[in-house]
Amino acid sequence: MKKFIAVLLTGTFALGALTGCGSENSGSDAGEVVVYNWGEYLDPEAIEMFEEETGITVVYDEYETNEIMYPKVEAGAVAYDVICPSDYMIQKMIENDLLAEINFDNIPNIENIGDEYMEWSTEFDPGNKYSVPYCWGTVGILYNKTMVSEPITSWDVLWDEQYKDSILMQDSVRDAFAVALKRLGYSLNSTDEGELQEAADSLILQKPLVQAYVVDQVRDKMIGNEAAIGVIYSGEAIYTQRENPDLEYVVPEEGSNLWIDSWVIPKNAQNKENAEAFINFLCRPDIALMNFEYITYSTPNTAARELIEDESIRNSEIAFPDMSSLTDCETFQYLGDEAETLYNDLWNQVKSA
């Protein structure tokens, strides 16, 4: 599933991309749209409906991380028409002139996206010229109430020796450092070498307590009672609670990552109007609801939220937390090549310790 925000050294700890069908066709075709998206991040039935309603063929490809996606788009070997990166990666793509401005006359369903999400998007897309919000959420701690003695409120529990070999950490440099940095009282967008070294040292100190550094596996391990505590994305937490009612999710009091993923159109897109038609379709309330129910990640589509029949989900504090309760959370920013190298070097220290 989606959400592995990892800044990875090329060739080091890299994960192989999940490749979809036939996406190597970079030629122009007015009857198709070439989509590049996270794995399991869109209901296949929605694609079928779009094709039936519009006559446009969807050529679909998947990736596991922003960092796998970016160089492929930058190289331009495949002319993707629409992609769904995360906030900081959209900022990087804008700064490197890889995106086309969207013609919002072709996306009237943008009116269904809540104003707060459009305003939030200006942090990485000033003026809302290049992106349309798709999903959002938080990063927090999932814990098993039968294995943990008291409610968790702090990241400190991930350094508690009583849970040795029962802690799951995200196998992701930005996510791992976000946990350590927020626990230490620093910004998760810190570029201060001293703060980052302190965070790395704390992750090295924690490492003997960690059962595993995982991506998707945190979901299955927590459902199967194989670990007591795991760092997880809020959308995954909703799914796991459906499968195991003993699991509880919390955003620690020190704050965490508040993320948003959005649709964008690369500058070399061959089918821009089809891409805009695709994005407009996904902003339709009934389609946004389908995707929310399929992937369980929070939708910024307020009209779709109103259609959620299950009141406990529609008012879920995990899926739709009050933004005022997330004042200590931050959205990842693109920090520049020099900072990325520093993070990667320090993450290498942690993983090799």
Side-chain angles (χ1 to χ4, degrees), residues 70-268:
Y70 181 85
K72 196 170 182 182
V73 174
E74 184 180 39
V78 179
Y80 292 110
D81 298 312
V82 60
I83 308 174
C84 189
S86 301
D87 32 52
Y88 73 99
M89 188 56 69
I90 294 173
Q91 180 185 353
K92 180 177 181 178
M93 296 174 85
I94 292 171
E95 290 185 13
N96 288 292
D97 197 30
L98 294 179
L99 300 182
E101 290 191 18
I102 294 173
N103 180 359
F104 285 94
D105 289 341
N106 292 331
I107 308 182
N109 287 332
I110 191 75
E111 67 179 11
N112 296 314
I113 305 299
D115 291 341
E116 63 269 39
Y117 305 106
M118 296 302 294
E119 182 179 352
W120 175 10
S121 297
T122 61
E123 291 186 16
F124 53 88
D125 177 12
N128 294 124
K129 296 178 181 180
Y130 297 95
S131 64
V132 174
Y134 177 56
C135 291
W136 67 282
T138 57
V139 177
I141 293 174
L142 187 71
Y143 64 98
N144 191 309
K145 292 179 287 186
T146 68
M147 300 181 183
V148 175
S149 57
E150 58 187 24
I152 289 174
T153 60
S154 170
W155 291 116
D156 285 342
V157 71
L158 298 174
W159 278 258
D160 191 330
E161 292 191 359
Q162 69 175 307
Y163 299 113
K164 182 178 181 179
D165 295 327
S166 199
I167 295 170
L168 302 174
M169 285 288 288
Q170 286 286 322
D171 192 7
S172 154
V173 58
R174 286 299 296 267
D175 287 328
F177 271 83
V179 169
L181 287 165
K182 295 302 283 187
R183 175 175 176 260
L184 293 167
Y186 303 135
S187 169
L188 52 73
N189 291 306
S190 176
T191 58
D192 182 277
E193 189 169 352
E195 293 177 356
L196 291 173
Q197 185 64 63
E198 187 178 351
D201 290 343
S202 71
L203 289 169
I204 291 170
L205 183 66
Q206 178 209 33
K207 192 174 180 181
L209 308 180
V210 176
Q211 178 191 117
Y213 295 90
V214 291
V215 185
D216 270 353
Q217 302 94 321
V218 64
R219 180 181 61 205
D220 298 330
K221 281 178 172 288
M222 292 299 295
I223 291 172
N225 299 316
E226 296 178 39
I229 304 167
V231 178
I232 199 169
Y233 291 91
S234 53
E236 300 277 24
I238 294 170
Y239 173 82
T240 60
Q241 286 186 323
R242 289 177 179 174
E243 302 297 316
N244 186 339
D246 290 329
L247 300 177
E248 189 71 39
Y249 177 80
V250 62
V251 176
E253 59 192 6
E254 299 95 339
S256 185
N257 175 221
L258 179 64
W259 58 265
I260 187 167
D261 293 340
S262 301
W263 296 107
V264 300
I265 299 175
K267 212 163 192 178
N268 67 337

Side-chain angles (χ1 to χ4, degrees), residues 29-35 50 54-58 81-82 106 265 270-281:
D29 185 343
E32 73 175 18
V33 60
V34 185
V35 180
F50 174 77
T54 65
I56 298 170
T57 299
V58 177
D81 298 312
V82 60
N106 292 331
I265 299 175
Q270 300 295 300
N271 307 289
K272 187 171 184 288
E273 289 190 5
N274 288 353
E276 290 164 347
F278 184 76
I279 295 171
N280 187 57
F281 178 80

